[in-house]
C-alpha cells in the first residue's frame, strides 16, 4: 500500500504538456517594428510563411510574386493594445521568443521610445539580446522590403548589424537609458533600390542615430560614425581610405584599436585626455610607393593617425554641440571623481558638455602590408 500510495502521489505531480503549443498553432515573429501614430503606437510584425518557403525561385523569396513572409500591424494606445488587435484577427498565437530585430521609426525616436519598449523587458518571451535599430520614415517599411540574398528583411538587418554597424541590443539601450553620464545611440538602416535598379529593395546601413535621453537629437553619417567606434566595449574592425593626393591612395583595414580616456580638472573646467591606439593592415596600394622602406611606412602611419584623430574630433564636437553624450564621457568622469560627479555634475551633465575641453593623440602601427611591398601591376624600374 505504501508503494502504491507513492506511485499515485508521483503521478499527481506529473502534469504532462497541458500548456503545449504546436508549431502549426503559432506565428513566429522574426522582426518587429514600432511607429508613432496620431492614435497611439503602431506595432508591426514580420512572420515567415512556412508554406511558401519550399522553393527558392525568384531569388530572395519576394521576386517570384509570392513573398515567403507576412507583415501585419495594428495601432493601439499601447503596444499591448496593438498586439491584442492583431491577435484578434490572426488564427495563430503571435510568438515573440525568436524575434531578433526591433525597428524604431523616426517619429517615435523623436518623441521618445522608452515607454514603448517597456513591454519587451517585462515578459520572458521577449529577447533582451535582440538588436534594436532606427530608420528614417516609417519602421514598417523596413519590414516590407524584400532583399535578394535573404528571405526576410529582418534576417538581412541582423546580419548587417553584426557585419558593418555598431551592434546595439535592447539590453544595451536599457542600460544606457538608466545610466547617468551616457546617452543611447542606434544604428540607422534604410531600404534602398538595388543597383542597377530592380524590383528588390536592399537593406543598407546609413549611419547612427544619437539620442539625448530617449529622444533623437541628431544623426551621424556612416563616415562620421567611425569616430564613435573607438569608444565601445569591443572594437569592431573597419576600413578607411587614405588619400595622399598625387602620391596615390591606400585602403587600410583597422584590425585592433582602443581609446583610453582620462579626465583632468583644469581651472574649474573638465578636460579629457584621449589616447588612441590602433593596428592596421594595408589591403590596397594605389601608388608607386615601396612599402619595404621604413620611412614610407612611418609616413603612412602619421597620415592615418591624423585621419583617426579627425574622426574622433568630429564626434567630440558634435557631442558638445548637440549635448548628446553617446561616447560616455560622463561615466568616465563619474568613475574617476565619484564625489564630484554626484555633488556637482550628475544632474547638469548635458548642460556642462559644451564647456568641456579635450586633447586627442593617436598612435598607429602598420603591422601588415600584404604579400608584396609594391603593386604587382606596376613595371619594375
Amino acid at each position: 500500500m505504501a508503494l502504491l500510495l507513492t506511485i499515485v502521489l508521483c503521478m499527481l505531480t506529473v502534469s504532462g504538456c497541458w500548456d503545449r503549443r504546436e508549431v502549426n498553432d503559432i506565428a513566429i515573429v522574426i522582426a518587429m517594428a514600432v511607429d508613432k501614430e496620431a492614435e497611439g503606437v503602431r506595432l508591426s510584425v514580420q512572420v515567415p510563411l512556412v508554406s511558401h518557403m519550399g522553393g527558392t525561385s525568384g531569388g530572395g523569396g519576394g521576386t517570384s510574386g509570392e513573398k515567403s513572409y507576412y507583415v501585419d500591424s495594428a495601432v493601439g494606445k499601447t503596444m499591448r493594445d496593438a498586439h491584442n488587435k492583431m491577435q484578434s484577427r490572426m488564427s495563430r498565437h503571435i510568438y515573440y521568443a525568436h524575434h531578433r530585430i526591433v525597428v524604431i521609426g523616426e517619429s517615435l525616436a523623436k518623441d521618445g521610445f522608452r515607454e514603448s519598449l517597456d513591454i519587451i523587458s517585462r515578459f520572458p518571451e521577449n529577447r533582451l539580446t535582440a538588436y534594436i535599430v532606427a530608420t528614417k520614415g516609417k519602421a514598417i517599411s523596413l519590414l516590407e522590403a524584400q532583399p535578394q540574398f535573404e528571405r526576410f528583411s529582418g534576417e538581412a538587418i541582423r546580419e548587417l548589424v553584426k557585419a558593418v554597424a555598431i551592434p546595439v541590443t535592447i539590453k544595451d539601450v536599457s542600460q544606457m537609458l538608466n545610466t547617468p553620464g551616457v546617452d543611447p545611440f542606434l544604428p540607422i538602416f534604410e531600404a534602398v533600390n538595388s543597383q542597377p535598379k530592380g524590383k528588390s529593395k536592399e537593406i543598407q546601413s546609413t549611419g547612427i542615430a544619437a539620442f539625448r535621453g530617449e529622444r533623437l537629437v541628431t544623426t551621424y553619417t556612416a563616415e562620421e560614425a567611425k569616430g564613435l567606434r573607438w569608444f565601445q566595449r569591443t572594437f569592431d574592425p573597419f576600413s578607411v581610405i587614405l588619400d595622399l593626393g598625387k602620391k596615390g591612395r591606400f585602403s587600410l583595414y583597422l584590425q585592433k584599436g582602443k581609446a583610453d580616456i582620462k579626465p583632468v580638472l583644469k581651472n574649474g573646467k573638465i578636460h579629457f585626455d584621449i589616447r588612441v591606439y590602433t593596428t592596421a593592415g594595408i589591403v590596397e596600394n594605389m601608388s608607386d610607393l615601396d612599402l619595404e622602406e621604413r620611412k614610407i611606412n612611418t609616413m603612412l602611419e602619421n597620415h592615418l593617425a591624423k585621419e583617426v584623430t579627425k574622426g574622433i574630433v568630429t564626434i567630440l564636437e558634435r557631442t558638445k554641440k548637440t549635448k548628446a553624450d553617446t561616447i560616455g564621457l560622463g561615466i568616465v568622469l563619474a568613475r574617476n571623481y565619484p564625489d564630484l560627479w554626484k555633488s556637482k555634475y550628475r544632474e547638469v551633465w548635458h548642460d556642462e558638455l559644451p564647456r568641456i575641453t579635450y586633447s586627442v593623440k593617436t598612435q598607429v602601427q602598420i603591422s601588415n602590408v600584404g604579400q608584396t611591398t609594391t603593386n604587382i601591376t606596376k613595371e619594375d624600374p
Side-chain angles (χ1 to χ4, degrees), residues 67-86:
K67 292 184 178 181
S68 57
Y69 62 88
Y70 166 65
V71 175
D72 197 0
S73 71
V75 178
K77 295 180 180 179
T78 66
M79 282 186 63
R80 189 64 182 182
D81 184 29
H83 161 83
N84 291 338
K85 289 181 179 180
M86 273 195 298

Side-chain angles (χ1 to χ4, degrees), residues 87-375:
Q87 188 64 79
S88 67
R89 61 172 178 264
M90 195 174 292
S91 60
R92 299 189 179 192
H93 173 75
I94 303 176
Y95 189 64
Y96 292 96
H98 291 282
H99 83 276
R100 297 172 174 178
I101 290 293
V102 177
V103 185
I104 301 297
E106 184 176 7
S107 296
L108 182 66
K110 291 179 178 179
D111 188 62
F113 62 91
R114 186 195 299 265
E115 292 183 357
S116 297
L117 293 184
D118 178 73
I119 188 175
I120 295 178
S121 61
R122 290 187 178 276
F123 294 92
E125 187 178 281
N126 291 295
R127 287 187 172 190
L128 294 181
T129 56
Y131 295 118
I132 179 169
V133 303
T135 188
K136 293 182 179 180
K138 294 292 186 180
I140 187 175
S141 63
L142 212 58
L143 299 188
E144 293 174 336
Q146 177 56 65
Q148 284 286 349
F149 280 107
E150 304 292 345
R151 290 182 181 272
F152 321 109
S153 59
E155 185 67 16
I157 297 171
R158 187 179 77 93
E159 295 297 332
L160 285 169
V161 166
K162 296 187 295 181
V164 300
I166 303 177
V168 179
T169 65
I170 296 174
K171 181 181 178 181
D172 295 332
V173 170
S174 300
Q175 291 176 338
M176 288 186 280
L177 284 172
N178 291 292
T179 304
V182 63
D183 289 304
F185 66 89
L186 298 177
I188 300 175
F189 285 85
E190 296 181 56
V192 298
N193 293 323
S194 58
Q195 299 295 329
K197 187 175 180 180
K199 295 181 179 180
S200 66
K201 283 279 190 179
E202 299 300 329
I203 305 298
Q204 181 177 346
S205 174
T206 59
I208 290 290
F211 294 75
R212 188 190 308 132
E214 61 174 322
R215 289 179 170 82
L216 175 68
V217 293
T218 189
T219 59
Y220 302 142
T221 65
E223 191 65 27
E224 292 172 333
K226 288 181 178 180
L228 190 59
R229 291 179 177 269
W230 303 99
F231 303 100
Q232 306 310 304
R233 289 193 299 267
T234 58
F235 180 78
D236 293 317
F238 63 97
S239 298
V240 296
I241 304 297
L242 201 59
D243 193 345
L244 303 183
K246 294 181 179 180
K247 293 181 180 180
R249 293 187 304 275
F250 289 84
S251 296
L252 297 102
Y253 186 65
L254 304 183
Q255 302 161 330
K256 299 178 181 179
K258 68 173 183 176
D260 293 334
I261 309 175
K262 182 181 179 181
V264 181
L265 297 179
K266 290 185 176 181
N267 301 322
K269 290 186 178 181
I270 302 171
H271 178 84
F272 289 96
D273 184 13
I274 302 173
R275 303 294 180 95
V276 180
Y277 307 90
T278 184
T279 302
I282 297 176
V283 293
E284 262 187 325
N285 178 9
M286 308 299 291
S287 74
D288 295 326
L289 300 177
D290 187 358
L291 301 180
E292 194 171 15
E293 298 183 23
R294 179 55 196 166
K295 64 179 182 179
I296 299 299
N297 277 278
T298 301
M299 182 266 293
L300 291 176
E301 288 173 350
N302 292 335
H303 276 83
L304 181 57
K306 292 179 181 178
E307 194 69 22
V308 171
T309 300
K310 180 181 176 182
I312 294 175
V313 169
T314 298
I315 288 294
L316 288 167
E317 286 300 314
R318 292 287 296 274
T319 297
K320 294 177 63 175
K321 182 179 180 180
T322 61
K323 302 180 181 180
D325 188 6
T326 53
I327 297 174
L329 297 174
I331 291 181
V332 178
L333 180 64
R335 289 171 180 169
N336 287 268
Y337 300 95
D339 295 335
L340 185 64
W341 169 257
K342 292 179 181 178
S343 62
K344 186 175 181 180
Y345 293 113
R346 176 171 176 166
E347 303 301 327
V348 295
W349 180 239
H350 288 127
D351 295 326
E352 187 67 28
L353 276 172
R355 293 190 285 270
I356 67 169
T357 59
Y358 58 83
S359 61
V360 182
K361 185 176 181 180
T362 304
Q363 182 178 334
V364 175
Q365 179 183 5
I366 295 179
S367 60
N368 185 4
V369 298
Q371 296 183 9
T372 63
T373 55
T374 57
N375 194 322

